[in-house]
Amino acid sequence: MRLETVFAYNIGKPFHPQSNGWLGYIIDSPDYGRIYIAGDTDITPDNKQVKCDIALIPAGGTFTTDAVQAAKLVNTIRPKYAISIHYGKNKNIENGLCSCSRFCYL
């Protein structure tokens, strides 16, 4: 198994600045392929280059990509499977389930 990192940050939001050097991860598994765990991020030049089989993409909207942006990233990197994360648990995120449903629809 191999581990790769991908910078995770916001563009135009103050919550996760690129200067902090925070990361998402790609786990390269012989059994399951390349699994991308994006972390708290927006669409960035870094994550648009990811090659993976399974992508876990945030869809919360306030601190990360929203459902529409998450779907756009998924359609850019084209994994076999996409799973939305980081929605519905934060008191600042309204309609978390709706966000997930919208992501799935897109």
Side-chain angles (χ1 to χ4, degrees):
M1 185 176 328
R2 282 183 4 141
L3 184 68
E4 298 174 30
T5 59
V6 179
F7 286 110
Y9 55 92
N10 293 132
I11 295 176
K13 298 177 194 170
F15 307 113
H16 305 98
Q18 185 175 13
S19 61
N20 284 354
W22 291 331
L23 302 170
Y25 298 94
I26 299 172
I27 300 167
D28 196 349
S29 163
D31 295 325
Y32 302 104
R34 293 171 57 82
I35 304 164
Y36 174 46
I37 305 164
D40 289 350
T41 191
D42 286 327
I43 296 174
T44 68
D46 299 288
N47 61 25
K48 288 184 351 183
Q49 302 303 313
V50 166
K51 304 290 185 223
C52 65
D53 299 294
I54 301 169
L56 286 81
I57 306 294
T62 301
F63 305 103
T64 64
T65 54
D66 61 21
V68 172
Q69 295 163 334
K72 182 177 178 182
L73 179 57
V74 166
N75 286 323
T76 298
I77 64 174
R78 312 222 19 102
K80 293 177 186 173
Y81 303 98
I83 301 165
S84 62
I85 60 171
H86 292 261
Y87 65 88
K89 294 290 184 185
N90 187 304
K91 67 180 181 179
N92 295 317
I93 300 171
E94 296 180 20
N95 301 320
L97 185 56
C98 292
S99 176
C100 178
S101 298
R102 189 164 188 206
F103 170 82
C104 292
Y105 177 76
L106 296 169

